[in-house]
Amino acid sequence: MTAAEPTSTPTAPPAAAAGTVFRTAGAADVPALVALVESAYRGESSRAGWTTEAHLLEGQRTDEAAVAELLGRPDSVVLLVEGDGGGPVACCHVERRGTAAYFGMFSVSPTAQGGGLGRRVLARAEEWARVEWGATAMEMTVIEQRPDLIAWYERRGFARTGEFEPFPYGDERFGVPLRTDLRFAKLAKQLAGPSAQRAF
């Protein structure tokens, strides 16, 4: 499934029930966003979902200072999904970089994975980039040793560019690696023309 969802409000999949709310994040959301990201990628709790990196990295995935810095950048937004209880169950960061948009910090709570919510969040991020910034492409980096995750993005229209970026070994703000060969693979996808309807 490679096409983004239409700009009209789609029927919510099981993991995004009728009470789910998409919105942009603000400073008050930072602690909850950090907790969400950590739960999706680090520690034993992350092993309940398929996005875990606990077999590759220990330590933190992000922190409050890093998330607050993303919120403070120009042409940068964190999109989140509120669950029925009011707390975030999914999020992503989108940043304008010339004619492209960078997609990162994509997290879905382990208990909400597998029901289509991730696909919906990715579609909203693509829509935001097209509508708000006129972006013609979306780019991201994924740890190369995550073939399952790369394959998930490839099924949604992304492709490897053949470019790589080094993992920041020695900087524990990004985690403590459990192996010595980690690096990031760059993926990209061409986006359709901008829609006349705003993403939010």
Side-chain angles (χ1 to χ4, degrees):
M1 182 174 178
T2 59
E5 295 179 7
T7 53
S8 57
T9 303
T11 302
T20 299
V21 176
F22 282 81
R23 65 174 175 84
T24 57
D29 298 305
V30 169
L33 287 170
V34 172
L36 170 64
V37 174
E38 295 299 303
S39 74
Y41 291 100
R42 297 286 194 270
E44 287 304 312
S45 64
S46 70
R47 295 182 187 274
W50 72 274
T51 61
T52 182
E53 296 172 346
H55 59 299
L56 300 174
L57 295 144
E58 294 180 338
Q60 69 177 37
R61 180 60 146 68
T62 191
D63 56 32
E64 292 191 11
V67 175
E69 195 268 334
L70 295 180
L71 292 175
R73 291 180 189 173
D75 291 332
S76 173
V77 64
V78 173
L79 309 177
L80 65 78
V81 180
E82 286 184 350
D84 290 333
V89 294
C91 70
C92 68
H93 169 236
V94 188
E95 183 172 342
R96 186 177 187 178
R97 297 185 179 179
T99 60
Y102 180 81
F103 178 79
M105 205 174 76
F106 184 30
S107 306
V108 178
S109 171
T111 59
Q113 292 178 19
L117 181 57
R119 292 192 297 272
R120 193 175 177 207
V121 172
L122 178 58
R124 288 298 182 98
E126 293 177 3
E127 184 179 57
W128 178 280
R130 291 194 312 267
V131 174
E132 301 296 326
W133 299 326
T136 58
M138 182 162 278
E139 301 172 343
M140 68 176 73
T141 56
V142 181
I143 293 177
E144 185 184 22
Q145 289 76 12
R146 291 295 317 276
D148 52 345
L149 185 55
I150 291 174
W152 188 88
Y153 286 118
E154 289 175 334
R155 291 194 296 273
R156 279 144 195 92
F158 286 84
R160 292 173 181 257
T161 67
E163 300 173 82
F164 298 91
E165 295 181 6
F167 186 87
Y169 282 93
D171 190 341
E172 294 190 2
R173 292 178 302 169
F174 300 96
V176 180
L178 298 177
R179 49 192 293 176
T180 60
D181 60 344
L182 298 180
R183 65 176 180 173
F184 294 104
K186 184 176 178 180
L187 308 181
K189 175 182 179 178
Q190 295 300 307
L191 300 179
S195 166
Q197 182 172 337
R198 291 178 62 87
F200 284 82

